[in-house]
Amino acid sequence: MRKSLLPILLAFVALFSATNANAGYSLTQSWKNSTVPTATNTRQGVFARDTFFVQNRTTSMVETWLQNSTAAVTTKATTSGSNICTDDAGNLIVKTGFGNSTTKSITVISADGLTTKTIALTGIRGGRNDYFGHASGDILSSTGGYLYVTPNSSTTISAVRIVNGAETADSAYYPVTGLTNSNGAATYSVTINGAEHIIVAPRAIGNSYFDCILSSDRSTITASKIYTPSKSAAFGCTIFTVGDTTYIAYPTGTNYADGFSIAKFTTTDANNAVIVSHAVEKTANTAYANWLFSEVVNDTTVNIYQYHPGGMFAKYVFTVPAKPVPDLYLIGSIDEASNSTTWDATKGCKMTYNATTKTYSATVNMTKAGGTFGVSKVIAENNDAGGWTYVNASRFIPESDGLSLDYGVAKPMSAWESGKDYAWSFPILGKFKVVVDLNAMTIRDTLVTSVYPMNLYVIGNTNFSSTWSTSVPLAKMTETADGVYGGAFKLNEVSTDNQYQYFSIVKNLGADWDAVNVTGNRFGPTTDGTVLATDATVSTDFGNNNTAYKVPYIDGNRLWLTVDLTANTISAKSNTTGVAGVNTTSAKVIAGAGEINVIGSARTIEVYTAAGALVSRGNASVSCAPGLYIVRVDGAVTKVLVK
């Protein structure tokens, strides 16, 4: 039994490399399939959805071909035309009748293959046209698109507007300034840097392709020659942008054979040079064409697909040098940079680049009240006017000065402008992960830890004795503002002198004194036994881990304490009948994943962001984004962190 040699031949192809490759560029043939229909009958094909679609004008069928096909996989009835292309949505467009036919209609097969529709056209002017290029938009949708056609030997372009599968009244016909040759041209709609370009690609050698630009009011078209060094006479091209550079692949070598080259897309550089080439493997065809298609994979890689009528289907991989990734720094008041509210141009925290997400990140600490920060590609050698001129030229700024980041929310940024020395701030003091995306020009933050604890605790003598407990507090103090805490407790006389209540403040309770008396955990006055007068605010360094305050004992008195870690102050307010703002409600505030719940009876409930914006009022269950929130229940304030 005869066996096909195709799998052996495909395996033997084994990665052809390009000729004339410039440093850092390469063009490699991944595979080829030389089992193809005859060029006379299948003059044009397109590549879409990992499939080659070839229009057979003899059988009036669109044929589907894959990498390993030895015959057409499927067919779908169309017309006897030779022209075939797609729009941006992947709909197939086939001309009714051969190139010189007077019939002016097209057959459209939807991208999903479920719908076939014939559309009569009046917007195409007379003249032979054997090939289509590429249509814009989605001609079967309500947004519609344009099919551009350039008749043979004409200096005009027909812009046929098609919406919902029907031509509209605003189709137009344009004489084109600067278009000097359109011999059988295929006409492509291509988007370059966000703008539409109409590429007229005729059958001719040399710099024979034209980049045609519509005016903003779509009233005129102006054409410029595209510099395509060593171009052969064949039809076909593909234009693509990878990284920040636009390229064109086009036929080269023997006329109408399969050779092609890739060069930068330019209408201004007459010295444009070939970057890489695929050398001729197949003989010239009678379709006068070498159809090329591109698929951008990432910032350095593009797949090139080829249909050479009568020759082969093939795939190539074109790679470009990786663009150097710039450094990026966080500058300003963060501890890892200036560590001061006064910025230093020579100091910055270098961010780490993630090649997968294409973002920069750094985890930094902001412990300076009123501190701000910025983003720059450089830091300076000198902290002077010249240094700041250097830094500002590579700096990014927010929309307004002092703009606070909002946990997880991407905020826009832009290049620094003279007179706009804007900076960002964080919602609270703490440790943050900052993420910058230079492609999207955004910045966002995530709270890692707050500088200040969620709560403080009052410990001291209990049960009218001199006994202290390290695990059972006199009161739990909640954070009412960033670094500011409040709480109340009932005074207990001390048996030894029957005059004072003794207490200290701790961040964390513990099983014993070794766990509690740790520097940075227990706060007390400089002098042990310092009297804290009521209705007064006292400054303290909070640097002692084994001292205590004392307040005069009054039978039945309750004491409201306010501790401000940002200003290093403590104050006391006494009240024999109760203290305003003391949390006497039985309700509890619980933060969960994406939600805050108030459990128990409560008369009033309010939820605020850390910046003070009201999130909810009167709701016991609130859905919210991760971040820090202030919850006020019956006047008592609790600060919670939502994961």
Side-chain angles (χ1 to χ4, degrees), residues 136-154:
S136 68
D138 181 352
I139 66 173
L140 293 181
S141 75
S142 58
T143 57
Y146 281 91
L147 173 65
Y148 296 101
V149 178
T150 306
N152 187 36
S153 301
S154 170

Side-chain angles (χ1 to χ4, degrees), residues 320-348:
V320 304
K323 183 180 178 181
V325 177
D327 290 335
L328 205 61
Y329 298 87
L330 294 180
I331 59 175
S333 305
I334 57 174
D335 294 7
E336 293 76 8
S338 301
N339 195 21
S340 169
T341 53
T342 301
W343 291 20
D344 189 325
T346 67
K347 296 179 179 179

Side-chain angles (χ1 to χ4, degrees), residues 374-394:
V375 179
S376 176
K377 291 183 179 179
V378 298
I379 55 176
E381 293 183 0
N382 300 303
N383 186 32
D384 53 21
W388 278 112
T389 298
Y390 174 66
V391 170
N392 287 338
S394 299

Side-chain angles (χ1 to χ4, degrees), residues 77 444 507 602 614:
R444 56 185 169 86
K507 290 182 180 179
L614 179 65

Side-chain angles (χ1 to χ4, degrees), residues 204-467:
I205 62 174
N207 301 319
S208 56
Y209 287 175
F210 293 86
D211 179 20
C212 303
I213 306 296
L214 266 165
S215 60
S216 58
D217 61 357
R218 297 188 70 89
S219 62
T220 59
I221 297 180
T222 302
S224 301
K225 278 190 175 183
I226 304 169
Y227 289 100
T228 49
S230 304
K231 182 191 170 298
S232 69
F235 293 108
C237 71
T238 184
I239 295 168
F240 53 90
T241 300
V242 58
D244 56 4
T245 303
T246 301
Y247 300 87
I248 181 170
Y250 57 95
T252 53
T254 304
N255 286 340
Y256 318 128
D258 62 297
F260 69 90
S261 296
I262 299 176
K264 291 182 179 179
F265 179 90
T266 178
T267 58
T268 58
D269 184 5
N271 296 316
N272 195 27
V274 167
I275 297 173
V276 291
S277 297
H278 162 67
V280 170
E281 294 183 59
K282 301 294 182 177
T283 58
N285 59 40
T286 56
Y288 313 119
N290 184 12
W291 304 109
L292 299 166
F293 311 91
S294 55
E295 175 185 66
V296 176
V297 178
N298 54 43
D299 285 346
T300 60
T301 308
V302 181
N303 292 332
I304 304 293
Y305 296 91
Q306 178 185 39
Y307 171 52
H308 179 243
M312 63 181 178
F313 301 105
K315 176 187 175 181
Y316 308 80
V317 177
F318 173 56
T319 59
V320 304
K323 183 180 178 181
V325 177
D327 290 335
L328 205 61
Y329 298 87
L330 294 180
I331 59 175
S333 305
I334 57 174
D335 294 7
E336 293 76 8
S338 301
N339 195 21
S340 169
T341 53
T342 301
W343 291 20
D344 189 325
T346 67
K347 296 179 179 179
C349 175
K350 188 174 181 179
M351 306 186 76
T352 301
Y353 181 73
N354 186 315
T356 302
T357 62
K358 296 181 176 60
T359 58
Y360 296 81
S361 65
T363 299
V364 295
N365 293 276
M366 178 66 82
T367 60
K368 298 295 178 291
T372 56
F373 72 97
V375 179
S376 176
K377 291 183 179 179
V378 298
I379 55 176
E381 293 183 0
N382 300 303
N383 186 32
D384 53 21
W388 278 112
T389 298
Y390 174 66
V391 170
N392 287 338
S394 299
R395 182 175 151 195
F396 302 98
I397 59 173
E399 294 177 313
S400 59
D401 194 26
L403 183 68
S404 175
L405 294 182
D406 192 2
Y407 308 114
V409 178
K411 297 292 183 71
M413 64 182 194
S414 59
W416 176 87
E417 298 177 36
S418 179
K420 292 185 177 181
D421 293 328
Y422 295 167
W424 284 277
S425 63
F426 291 113
I428 63 172
L429 300 180
K431 178 182 286 187
F432 297 86
K433 180 180 180 181
V434 179
V435 179
V436 174
D437 187 334
L438 288 184
N439 293 317
M441 289 295 285
T442 60
I443 183 172
R444 56 185 169 86
D445 71 330
T446 302
L447 177 66
V448 178
T449 56
S450 173
V451 167
Y452 304 113
M454 300 293 292
N455 300 284
L456 294 178
Y457 298 91
V458 182
I459 60 173
N461 56 286
T462 59
N463 300 324
F464 299 95
S465 72
S466 59
T467 302

Side-chain angles (χ1 to χ4, degrees), residues 589-605:
V589 180
I590 300 175
E595 63 179 7
I596 298 172
N597 294 294
V598 178
I599 310 299
S601 176
R603 295 184 302 276
T604 61
I605 302 172

